Amino acid sequence: MQISLDETATSWQTKARDFAEQELIPCEVEAEMNAGKLPPKTAKRHHRMAIELGFSSMDAPTEHGGLALRIVDQVAVWEQLGRVTNALCWCFPEPHQWMFEACNEKQLKKYVLPLMDGTRKECYAITEKGSGSQVDIETTATKTDRGYLINGEKWFVTSANLADYFFLQAKLTEGKHAGTDTLFLVDKNTPGIEEIRTPLFSHTFDHHHPEIRFADVLVPVQNRIGNEGDGMAYSNSWFRRERLMIAARCCGAMSRLIEEATAFAKHRIINGEPLIERQLVQGMLADSVTDMWASRLMTFEAAAAHDRGEDVKSLHARCSIVKLHASEAANRIADRALQIFGGRGYMRENAAERFYRELRVDRIWEGPSEVQRLIIARALAKRGLDEM
């Protein structure tokens, strides 16, 4: 079941599919059995190949050496990379358009542009212990003669173990912007940064999600991103994009789960007939195809709306819609696929088992399903159905 894509999007889709199928998927079980890690030589090859294929330059403007791909093209890439378990597709850093809008030339040169050639790696320190489902920043930034002193604790700092700097969001303590959020670039080796612990999670990723404490961490004024108080605007841009790309990855996962469950059901013989001839199994597969098709249609339409330059508030609602639907649908499909595989589906060497654990977090991070529902309902109340 193919979405009608033009030649450019199809070319990127094929590149990503080949990379996923030929390089990443064959390494999944090895990563699963080794705490998410691959041999350094293999990991370096994936990193180099992804950059050479252009994945790390997709969203960067052409004037900075990027490819400035359409969002439809990027969704086509991330859908195919979403077919891979164990976060092996996170093998490259990727600067995003909002960074080029928010950062000045010196910041771009030092922090953002090196993401394209893979010489630097970023992570996002936004979530806090007490923030729950809403962004509620307690980490403080106090301005001094030497710069800003950062104090606080960040949780779930994804990829912090592999990164060398943070995009950190903190609340200003004084001045006319006191109480507002601001973003900072913080080098990981700055004194006062301490990793409290690295919890283990359901998935088996080499990208960890540690808890980080910042105690009187001095950040130069030149490392503030944009103006004081602009932090939430930049974070919303990041959330909007991440929600869309989560939906894209979920679509890829759904496709692979359906394909593998269907292939198994065709060859699994029960009392002389293929499992796929059983109506209850047919019902699970039919519901899964319907879930996947609806998710793909709305995800690619939301991407096309970005490329058409539609109103940003409408895009924000659309990204919540696709993230909600695709993440919930992917979890349903993972559950059905595991059930079709039976005991085999409960083995860690089976992709259905890994997706069953890995996809669960897509209903939580970058705003849980409940928050997406609030965003959608508020957009409906403010703008009406036709203007969402």
Side-chain angles (χ1 to χ4, degrees), residues 327-341:
S327 65
E328 297 274 340
N331 276 262
R332 292 192 294 269
I333 291 173
D335 184 77
R336 295 181 193 126
L338 193 153
Q339 195 72 8
I340 290 170
F341 277 108

Side-chain angles (χ1 to χ4, degrees), residues 1-33:
M1 303 179 73
Q2 294 299 317
I3 300 289
S4 180
L5 300 174
D6 63 20
E7 185 177 351
T8 300
T10 301
S11 174
W12 281 101
Q13 182 184 57
T14 301
K15 283 184 185 181
R17 178 65 172 260
D18 289 346
F19 181 61
E21 297 285 345
Q22 297 169 16
E23 287 291 331
L24 303 182
I25 288 176
C27 296
E28 289 175 338
V29 175
E30 181 179 14
E32 177 64 31
M33 301 306 170

Side-chain angles (χ1 to χ4, degrees), residues 52-74:
E52 290 175 351
L53 286 166
F55 297 154
S56 64
S57 304
M58 292 189 294
D59 203 35
T62 54
E63 59 266 30
H64 289 284
L67 299 174
L69 296 190
R70 299 169 303 173
I71 302 301
V72 164
D73 303 328
Q74 296 181 54

Side-chain angles (χ1 to χ4, degrees), residues 295-316:
S295 299
R296 294 192 74 216
L297 287 172
M298 65 174 62
T299 299
F300 276 96
E301 167 54 26
H306 280 76
D307 293 329
R308 292 193 297 266
E310 297 197 11
D311 179 76
V312 69
K313 292 182 179 179
S314 172
L315 297 177
H316 197 69

